Amino acid sequence: MKINWRIIIPCLLILTVLLSGCTGTATGTNWPAVGASADAAFLSNTNSVYAVQLNNGTMVWKFPQESGRTMFFAPAAADGSDQVIVGDYTNKLYSINPKNGNTNWEFTQATGRYIGSVLISGDTIYAPNADYSMYALDLEGGLKWKFTTEQAIWGTPVTDGKVVFFNSLDHFIYALGAGDGSLVWKTDLKGPTTGSPALGEGLIYVGMLDQRLVALRADSGNILWETATDDAVFGTPVFKDGKVYLADLTGAIYCVDGTSGTIDWRSTPSGAIAAGPTLMDNGVVYTSQQGDVVAVDFSGELLWMRTITGELNGTPVVAGDLILVPAYKGDNLLIAYSFEGDQKWSFNPPKK
Amino acid sequence: MNIWDTFIITPFVNVLLLIYSYIGNFGIAIILFTILIRLITHPLMVKQIKSSQAMQNLTQDKRYKDMQEKYKGQKEKLAQAQMELYKEMGVSPFASCLPTLIQLPLIIGLYQSLMRAMSSTPSEMLYLLQHLYEGWFNISTLLPLNTTFLWMNLSQPERLYIPGIEFGIPVMAILVVITSYVQTKLTAPPPDPTNQNAMMTNMMNIYMPLLMGYLAWSLSAGLALYFLVSNLIGILQYAMLGKVNWKNVLPGQKKAAPVKKGR
């Protein structure tokens, strides 16, 4: 058989490039995410984390200074003093000095990606990892304990100070002793969840991909009620004053009574919503995939809506009197709004 | 949603996951899906073989050899004469490559489908949720996929760690290189010193398996599994069509022409 290699060779080269390009690298890709301290936003996007001043949107530093194989898509968490903690898709967790972007320490014992943000509580850092484990570290990066589940952990844990609660993709929600990582209880949610649990008044709320909101007792893990949604709940619900606020992939936003599980109000102001909502003083902010930033008051009345280019899949963050919105495939990577919906600034990394 | 997603990725993902939802093992689902793809593209492969055979026969034709001599150093005239001969003998020089070109998007699509189906990042999971055909799946039991197959995590590059050895052995990449090499050798034509492409063919017999091995080494184990199964099925298909030179694989054996069965 004669093969025309003059055509096959370029095709194979194209195939190599395309297959490599399909994933970027074997490390995968995701949309940008944002965390914040009192005076800075920390934007994780592809190879870098950018520290951006909250008052004017200018870049303070970039980490690492020279882009390498790092891949950041998890939101960074600030401890309020001398550390910003962020994990990457090449299995490393970094402590960064918020003033200058230098590395304080690295934790390299995990074998999977850091997809969710870490939780910093007291003198402990709780770091969820896709290698199925929750890592508890001291503030110097030393391992205190590790708890392994049956699947990847994508969501950020929450704590009441004594117990740490988190979801795993193995369909279970876990409650561990905050000090020693001992299992307090675990409950089968009978379905997958990607977000984090929300902690209310003695209850925990979990949005499910199989179109449910589940409420459990925080002390026992017993399921109290379940409320059906129109579509998958991809982002993390939030809790305020006895109400749970959430959104689903049809674009429906809900206010659910935290005690009974009845839906107080529901509306569909925009398209599909993958990000979790964020609480402001005067209402709740949702961001839709089609690029709408929607603010409603606590009764569900529309306060304002702004449209920006790009997909808004990353959960917005409130920092001081600003709402920080990370954008994917848009003109800007990060946009800051006031609670009244005025755009204060936008950020893109400076070009080399 | 773009055309590529609508007609390639989304159907691939849904069929792959449908198989998985019945089998419950993603590795076996990839194997069955690969067999399905190879069956679908089998007519293309037969056409490719026939066209290649016709091209090969043409290069053995006296008129073809004569024109090589006659128009030596006159590329344009040679090309024109070759085209006339192609036309006269009813052979298209591109017919043997077209099926390969058609299969390339399938390979790329399959890879993208594997990555989307395994959903190892939130963006892949979101894509998956928004592209599953309605009514086909029960999300509660479908997700997350069990991507463990034998010793492999199919969503990650494959390495086998053996106690006492500090580094992981890329078993799948090695198997892909071997099967790609065997497939290339089995299906290679007898060397023809007068053929200008012979040297390039020999080089490709080495480079293509290495290229496939590199992809299997650096990309997800799921794709390596696809390459391996695809190679094995390819060898089987060629064997069933009577187009393999088993002796070509063994060192020190005299090169043999393809076995011609009545096709």
Side-chain angles (χ1 to χ4, degrees), chain A residues 1-2 4-5 7 9 11 15-16 18-19 22-23 26 29-31 113 115 154 169 171 192 210 234 249 289, chain B residues 52 56 94 97 101 104 108 111-112 119-123 126 129-130 140 143-144 189 197 201 204 211 218:
Chain A
M1 185 183 72
K2 183 176 183 295
N4 192 336
W5 293 113
I7 291 178
I9 291 169
C11 289
L15 174 67
T16 310
L18 286 175
L19 285 177
C22 293
T23 51
T29 60
N30 204 31
W31 47 73
R113 298 165 175 165
I115 288 175
W154 284 6
L169 280 174
H171 295 193
D210 56 2
F234 201 83
L249 289 183
Q289 271 192 293
Chain B
S52 299
Q56 194 183 328
F94 300 108
C97 299
L101 289 175
L104 281 178
I108 295 164
Y111 178 67
Q112 289 184 325
S119 297
S120 56
T121 66
S123 63
L126 180 60
L129 286 168
Q130 294 183 317
S140 303
L143 301 175
N197 289 333
T201 303
M204 283 309 298
L211 174 69
S218 60

Side-chain angles (χ1 to χ4, degrees), chain A residues 63 92-95 103-109 140-141:
Chain A
F63 175 86
K92 281 188 181 174
L93 187 71
Y94 299 88
S95 167
T103 307
N104 294 321
W105 49 259
E106 293 178 12
F107 176 74
T108 58
Q109 293 181 35
E140 284 74 47

Side-chain angles (χ1 to χ4, degrees), chain B:
Chain B
M1 194 159 63
N2 58 41
I3 292 172
W4 176 252
D5 277 2
T6 306
F7 294 106
I8 301 286
I9 306 295
T10 301
F12 275 25
V13 166
N14 279 275
V15 172
L16 183 59
L17 291 183
L18 190 67
I19 296 169
Y20 170 79
S21 66
Y22 285 107
I23 303 295
N25 183 306
F26 199 58
I28 295 174
I30 290 174
I31 292 169
L32 292 176
F33 188 66
T34 307
I35 293 170
L36 182 66
I37 293 290
R38 293 299 298 227
L39 283 175
I40 291 169
T41 56
H42 185 75
L44 291 173
M45 188 180 176
V46 173
K47 189 173 170 58
Q48 180 185 2
I49 291 169
K50 284 183 177 174
S51 301
S52 299
Q53 190 68 56
M55 274 296 292
Q56 194 183 328
N57 292 342
L58 183 141
T59 57
Q60 303 302 317
D61 191 278
K62 187 176 181 300
R63 285 174 291 172
Y64 185 87
K65 288 179 177 172
D66 288 347
M67 70 175 62
Q68 299 287 333
E69 281 298 316
K70 186 177 178 185
Y71 298 114
K72 203 171 185 177
Q74 302 174 66
K75 285 185 178 177
E76 279 186 16
K77 284 190 175 177
L78 176 63
Q80 195 177 353
Q82 282 176 337
M83 287 307 292
E84 282 170 9
L85 186 61
Y86 290 148
K87 201 172 176 182
E88 187 186 326
M89 296 186 71
V91 173
S92 166
F94 300 108
S96 62
C97 299
L98 192 61
T100 307
L101 289 175
I102 292 170
Q103 288 180 64
L104 281 178
L106 295 180
I107 294 173
I108 295 164
L110 186 103
Y111 178 67
Q112 289 184 325
S113 305
L114 287 179
M115 297 310 292
R116 296 274 164 80
M118 288 185 283
S119 297
S120 56
T121 66
S123 63
E124 288 161 358
M125 180 70 89
L126 180 60
Y127 178 94
L128 183 64
L129 286 168
Q130 294 183 317
H131 291 83
L132 291 178
Y133 292 149
E134 205 169 333
W136 278 34
F137 305 102
N138 178 358
I139 298 293
S140 303
T141 53
L142 181 74
L143 301 175
L145 301 188
N146 179 4
T147 56
T148 303
F149 180 62
L150 301 176
W151 67 93
M152 297 173 272
N153 179 348
L154 296 170
S155 65
Q156 299 293 319
E158 178 270 343
R159 303 288 184 273
L160 179 63
Y161 290 90
I162 297 172
I165 300 177
E166 287 186 3
F167 57 89
I169 302 168
V171 176
M172 291 298 284
I174 293 168
L175 290 175
V176 166
V177 170
I178 292 169
T179 53
S180 298
Y181 178 77
V182 169
Q183 182 174 236
T184 309
K185 294 295 282 184
L186 283 176
T187 56
D192 177 4
T194 63
N195 188 341
Q196 342 175 359
N197 289 333
M199 190 180 289
M200 188 174 280
T201 303
N202 287 334
M203 282 171 62
M204 283 309 298
N205 286 349
I206 296 168
Y207 288 139
M208 198 171 94
L210 290 178
L211 174 69
M212 301 304 276
Y214 170 74
L215 291 173
W217 175 79
S218 60
L219 301 176
S220 73
L223 189 72
L225 181 62
Y226 164 75
F227 284 153
L228 177 62
V229 175
S230 192
N231 285 345
L232 293 173
I233 297 170
I235 292 168
L236 188 67
Q237 283 177 307
Y238 272 94
M240 288 168 67
L241 293 169
K243 299 291 180 187
V244 295
N245 305 321
W246 294 105
K247 290 181 180 177
N248 280 3
V249 182
L250 303 171
Q253 294 284 332
K254 195 180 175 184
K255 304 286 181 184
V259 178
K260 289 181 184 175
K261 287 186 180 174
R263 281 194 65 88

Side-chain angles (χ1 to χ4, degrees), chain A residues 204-227:
Chain A
I204 297 165
Y205 305 95
V206 183
M208 307 292 298
L209 296 186
D210 56 2
Q211 307 179 7
R212 292 179 290 147
L213 175 67
V214 180
L216 308 93
R217 289 179 60 94
D219 56 359
S220 63
N222 292 335
I223 292 175
L224 201 63
W225 51 257
E226 293 182 13
T227 294

